[in-house]
Amino acid sequence: MSAPHGPVAAGGAPLQADGAALPAAAVVDAPPPPARRRGATRRMLRSPLGVVVLVGVLWFSAAFLVMPNATLLLATFVPDGRLSLSAFERLLSSERALRSLGNSVLLAATLAVTVNVVGVFIVLVTGWFRMRARRVLWLGYATTFVYGGIVLAAGYSFIYGRYGFVTNALAQWWPDLDRDWFSGFAAVVAVMTFATTTNHMLFLSAALAGIDHQAIEAARLMGASTATILRRIVIPALRPMLFAVTVLTFLTGLGALTAPLVLGGEDFQTVAPMILTFARSSSSRDVAALLAILLGLATIVLLALMNRVERGGTYFAVAKVAVPITPQPFQTRWGSVVVHVLAWALWAVYVFPVLCAVAFSFVDARAIMSGSITAADLTTDHWVGVLTSADALGPFVVSVVYSGLASAAVVLGLLLVARALTRWRGWLSSLLEYVLHIPWILPTILIALGLVMTFDRPRLLVGGQVLTGTVVLLGIAYVIVKIPFTLRLLKAAFAAVPDELEDAARILGAGQLTTIRRVVVPVIAPTMAAVAALNFTSLLDDYDAAVFLYHPLFEPLGIAIKRSTEGEANVQSMGITFVYTVLLMVVQGLVLWLVYGRRGAGARRRG
Amino acid sequence: MIRFDALRVSFDDHVALQGLDLDIGEGEFFTLLGPSGCGKTTALRSLAGFVEPTSGTLHIDGRDVTRVPSERRGVGMVFQSYALFPSMSVRENIAFGLSVQRVPRDEQRRRVDEVAAQVGLRPQQLTRGVAELSGGQQQRVAIARALVLQPRILLLDEPLSNLDAKLRVQLRGELQRLQREVGITTVYVTHDQEEALALSDRIAVLSEGRLEQVGTPREIYEQPASAFVCDFIGEATHLSAEQRAALAGAGVDAGRDAWVRPEHVSVTAADDRDPAESGSGDLPAVVLSCAYRGSTTLVELEAAGARLLASVPSAEAARVEVGDRVRARVEVSAVHQYGAAA
Ligand SMILES: Nc1ncnc2c1ncn2[C@@H]1O[C@H](COP(=O)(O)OP(=O)(O)OP(=O)(O)O)[C@@H](O)[C@H]1O
Ligand SMILES: [Mg+2]
């Protein structure tokens, strides 16, 4: 359930927080957008590097950012060359489609409440109260950083779903049990609630950590109780960030694809799965496109709203030397007991599926089906299978290759772009930056559908090639969705390189490219590596783009995992999915630890 | 050797340098001095070629370099932050310019060793990363890096401002010695007047993008050309209208702005009946405070209804106490007067 969007940084420039992680500090400390310089555009056009970057960006944007969306709009509103509202009429006459719209809004609104309740609770018990074993608690809740999207939906389905272990175990004691008990609206809400608290853990925790501890001590000296301090000082300081994460949660609910697909059942289908269904047949593609456009519009409106509100909010400590907050003791024994019990119960909910995934990767699938596991059922077959059979390992390799190539391409491709944008801050670079942020305001589904519908015929901009049905289109989609996040962080990295460093190289005789290669790139190399690694892990378990664009001979991981949830016939692949899940968690956990572990998470884990 | 000719630099909304004229001689240690934001860095960066002047010209050795790119001006620069390349070792930092020019490796080695010895870097420090060095060592690396290309001119932008007070004084001496040894024309930027007075052959005092005065340290201190320079360099009391009127008999023009340095004001007992020496004027005064400074003590007086500072040998100052009535004796010949009355 990866949210396609991250809060907008203070200066208004957007950040993307796909799936798992993103440096919270980059959001909180984002500098205001630098002022434009007069003559910058002229200077850019005079520099060979500037012209190369300009031509490259214009071509890429025209071919892959603008044309697909234009095609989508045209196919919907101007089919056969004449303005027509037939897509609207067909949408209005489809009861299923209308119901899915209502369901999406219902899901989004419900999540906005439930995720906030759970998320704020998590932030308080990991960052505010003096809890026992706070670090263990944090790690439990943080499992969603490495366990999300289609993997998580599949995991819940294998545990609580129709053929799930818990369902089977319950059925032994209670034969009348409705085997579909974990399905529909309630199941989707439950799964998504626990899966989307990542935004709270990233952004709200950072905001909480940014509150000046001395302000709290001052309040305490004036006689304020913990409750008063929470209500009068802490919550107001967090309000803008709360608003931002609420919008993000709402958007996640609106565009949810995997959870409703796997757990929604017949009764509860939302817009995104509906788009997928309609897009499968060319006769209903226009309705799919219309739904995608509506989803995109809602996203744009909500993000614009969030942007406005955030700009008005002040959530930075005003103190010159803000002292980080330290955990607050409980004032009553009862309060402590109640909060501890709740916190650990919630922890169990988060950790149980992860433990199951690890355990079940060593258990025979039939035993899971039967709902009782004995020592005799333990096996390493799944692991041996995945690691030795080309068929089973295939999807993992395909995903690794796609993610690796796409994340390297986007970082290297944007290196000179980010440099040009920070160097020549004129109207032209602002325009390029806005264009490159198009993917940030559009749901992945919309981007993927646009690509499919645009490149199903020869296009001049890509050398007269048909790309739909080839292996490259999914790679292009991965590059596109990673552009805003990568550009944002690379720009910040370039901006953090002191101008004096470049001046020094220049006065010593180094040209532009030499300066970049020998002085600037070594300085920003850690950021480049971190961004590439984060891109890599978040693409690894992608489903949203893959389902529209994958090549049947090169099935990525997300598709394979989704298939394993489709009914009893596929139950044998369940064990393999658990192995994939464990592998993904290890890879993603490792990358996150390398990127943030030793330093960035300190604020969240302190104590 | 270096000539600024009506050099004007304006940024988007304001003018940083409004027509600067300067002549800097061969081998000179020349300092640009002025308060924060007066345009010192801008002047230096124009000379380095990092800032494009709006109008005016720059000559180096008689050659118009106004539009010549930085790397072809024959200048080396030490930046305020030192701007050492963090990804390179000390040796790589110093050799960077040589390697860009594709100087053969063994010659690079030889020249780096030579310049490192000159600035006082030990051979074993050359293999270290620059982050492992102390502030003073980093500064040496920055100077070595600038000198290794044997520029005709060395530019330094507040190179000592990142160091603690003691090290600052020590490195100041080394810098001066090095400059004499190498004989390189040096343009130095600082807002620290003490540093400027101690180091420079000549000083240009800037204020709000305008040149206030050029001269030797002694000229600048003893004959400040404007009220700004007098106030900015060293300490001085701005005499009030009443104080000027009271001193009018001794030769102070009561109608013009007047400043006096503390060392030209002495304190004697109130009952001292000696007539004022010629060329000085007496004012009855009350001691407001004493600030001990070692060999001298700065005594703050109230005279003729306003403040007046006197610098007094500490032995004498020991005899006065706060609240004492005393006489302040002002050396009228040392009073600086400017323009029409304020
Ligand atoms: N790139 C720039 N764009 C716009 N204004 C600038 C730029 N560089 C300098 N200025 C302005 O020009 C004026 C002079 O700046 P400069 O850096 O030369 O001052 P300075 O004397 O070196 O001050 P300091 O002692 O603080 O370093 C300042 O008001 C500054 O804000
Ligand atoms: Mg400066």
Side-chain angles (χ1 to χ4, degrees), chain A residues 500, chain B residues 35-42 45 80 157-158 189-191:
Chain A
E500 287 199 342
Chain B
S36 190
C38 71
K40 308 176 296 282
T41 299
T42 305
R45 289 174 58 83
Q80 184 162 4
D157 189 359
E158 312 219 16
V189 161
T190 181
H191 63 258

Side-chain angles (χ1 to χ4, degrees), chain A residues 57-333:
Chain A
V57 172
L58 284 181
W59 168 74
F60 188 90
S61 319
F64 300 113
L65 302 182
V66 176
M67 192 160 72
N69 293 310
T71 307
L72 208 60
L73 287 171
L74 284 177
T76 314
F77 298 113
V78 199
D80 327 315
R82 260 178 305 114
L83 198 65
S84 151
L85 293 177
S86 73
F88 264 112
E89 285 159 13
R90 293 178 48 193
L91 172 64
L92 290 176
S93 62
S94 161
E95 197 209 335
R96 273 202 314 162
L98 287 181
R99 196 138 44 86
S100 75
L101 276 174
N103 282 345
S104 276
V105 174
L106 177 66
L107 177 61
T110 312
L111 285 178
V113 176
T114 55
V115 176
N116 260 328
V117 170
V118 177
V120 169
F121 180 77
I122 286 178
V123 169
L124 288 180
V125 295
T126 54
W128 174 258
F129 288 118
R130 188 178 293 168
M131 300 288 292
R132 274 171 210 286
R134 214 154 59 104
R135 206 187 156 100
V136 180
L137 266 184
W138 188 90
L139 282 173
Y141 301 138
T143 49
T144 50
F145 285 106
V146 296
Y147 186 57
I150 184 70
V151 187
L152 181 127
Y156 271 83
S157 149
F158 290 148
I159 295 166
Y160 305 107
R162 184 171 184 84
Y163 311 107
F165 174 73
V166 170
T167 305
N168 290 323
L170 286 178
Q172 288 181 352
W173 305 105
W174 187 11
D176 293 343
L177 177 78
D178 171 12
R179 297 191 68 95
D180 277 323
W181 69 280
F182 197 75
S183 154
F185 175 69
V188 173
V189 167
V191 169
M192 290 194 69
T193 298
F194 299 127
T196 49
T197 46
T198 43
N199 284 326
H200 283 78
M201 291 191 69
L202 281 175
F203 304 119
L204 202 61
S205 291
L208 179 68
I211 292 175
D212 184 12
H213 181 52
Q214 287 179 346
I216 291 169
E217 283 179 340
R220 184 142 285 158
L221 278 182
M222 288 181 257
S225 67
T226 303
T228 310
I229 292 173
L230 265 181
R231 206 175 42 165
R232 301 275 305 275
I233 297 176
V234 176
I235 298 294
L238 297 183
R239 200 175 292 142
M241 196 52 105
L242 265 175
F243 179 78
V245 289
T246 305
V247 171
L248 291 181
T249 307
F250 194 89
L251 285 174
T252 310
L254 221 46
L257 175 57
T258 49
L261 204 55
V262 175
L263 297 163
E266 283 294 305
D267 309 336
F268 192 72
Q269 282 309 316
T270 55
V271 169
M274 203 51 62
I275 293 174
L276 194 55
T277 311
F278 282 133
R280 290 227 161 91
S281 117
S282 60
S283 62
S284 56
R285 277 231 178 128
D286 56 339
V287 182
L290 180 59
L291 281 174
I293 290 168
L294 290 178
L295 191 57
L297 271 180
T299 310
I300 293 171
V301 168
L302 282 167
L303 286 177
L305 181 73
M306 178 170 88
N307 208 345
R308 273 193 81 90
V309 171
E310 265 203 345
R311 252 177 229 189
T314 51
Y315 49 101
F316 306 107
V318 284
K320 282 252 162 36
V321 278
V323 179
I325 60 167
T326 49
Q328 304 292 305
F330 286 96
Q331 282 175 331
T332 63
R333 204 176 162 71

Side-chain angles (χ1 to χ4, degrees), chain B residues 40-328:
Chain B
K40 308 176 296 282
T41 299
T42 305
L44 201 71
R45 289 174 58 83
S46 318
L47 186 52
F50 295 137
V51 172
E52 232 176 276
T54 319
S55 65
T57 54
L58 261 170
H59 290 261
I60 294 179
D61 271 338
R63 184 167 70 115
D64 185 345
V65 295
T66 320
R67 310 268 164 231
V68 173
S70 309
E71 63 274 16
R72 279 193 251 133
R73 293 187 181 198
V75 298
M77 182 156 177
V78 175
F79 294 83
Q80 184 162 4
S81 65
Y82 306 148
L84 299 180
F85 307 132
S87 55
M88 302 179 195
S89 71
V90 171
R91 177 179 288 284
E92 286 166 337
N93 259 280
I94 301 177
F96 183 82
L98 298 171
S99 79
V100 168
Q101 293 183 0
R102 307 199 182 283
V103 170
R105 293 236 163 224
D106 39 343
E107 189 184 341
Q108 281 187 28
R109 244 194 130 63
R110 188 179 53 71
R111 282 170 67 178
V112 170
D113 289 341
E114 197 177 281
V115 77
Q118 214 166 22
V119 300
L121 283 169
R122 276 178 280 117
Q124 61 267 35
Q125 286 169 336
L126 293 182
T127 53
R128 291 220 223 141
V130 288
E132 299 166 41
L133 301 181
S134 70
Q137 289 164 340
Q138 288 182 349
Q139 199 229 23
R140 292 191 173 116
V141 177
I143 295 176
R145 191 177 67 178
L147 287 181
V148 77
L149 293 178
Q150 297 167 341
R152 303 279 324 271
I153 299 166
L154 180 62
L155 310 179
L156 300 122
D157 189 359
E158 312 219 16
L160 302 177
S161 63
N162 288 329
L163 306 172
D164 63 63
K166 193 146 182 201
L167 197 58
R168 212 147 57 205
V169 173
Q170 183 199 336
L171 286 179
R172 194 160 89 190
E174 284 187 28
L175 203 59
Q176 198 167 31
R177 174 189 57 76
L178 188 70
Q179 195 260 341
R180 298 250 160 86
E181 264 174 37
V182 181
I184 188 171
T185 310
T186 302
V187 184
Y188 188 93
V189 161
T190 181
H191 63 258
D192 181 339
Q193 38 146 325
E194 196 193 322
E195 209 168 279
L197 295 175
L199 277 171
S200 320
D201 295 321
R202 284 194 307 149
I203 296 172
V205 183
L206 298 181
S207 157
E208 293 179 6
R210 244 189 309 268
L211 186 62
E212 291 280 337
Q213 186 176 5
V214 187
T216 62
R218 177 176 287 265
E219 283 163 0
I220 298 271
Y221 187 82
E222 294 183 2
Q223 295 146 36
S226 65
F228 173 83
V229 178
C230 183
D231 189 33
F232 183 68
I233 309 283
E235 280 160 321
T237 308
H238 190 192
L239 297 178
S240 70
E242 289 79 37
Q243 288 173 329
R244 294 200 303 265
L247 292 169
V252 170
D253 181 348
R256 294 170 72 208
D257 221 4
W259 299 74
V260 65
R261 298 212 183 276
E263 59 267 33
H264 298 127
V265 179
S266 53
V267 175
T268 57
D271 52 3
D272 188 348
R273 290 288 162 213
D274 289 352
E277 298 159 36
S278 67
S280 61
D282 274 7
L283 294 174
V286 178
V287 177
L288 292 182
S289 70
C290 293
Y292 178 72
R293 291 181 167 185
S295 63
T296 62
T297 295
L298 191 70
V299 181
E300 189 185 356
L301 304 162
E302 188 189 321
R307 240 167 50 102
L308 180 64
L309 293 176
S311 178
V312 174
S314 290
E316 276 176 42
R319 291 200 288 270
V320 300
E321 292 205 0
V322 172
D324 281 0
R325 300 192 161 276
V326 295
R327 297 176 81 76

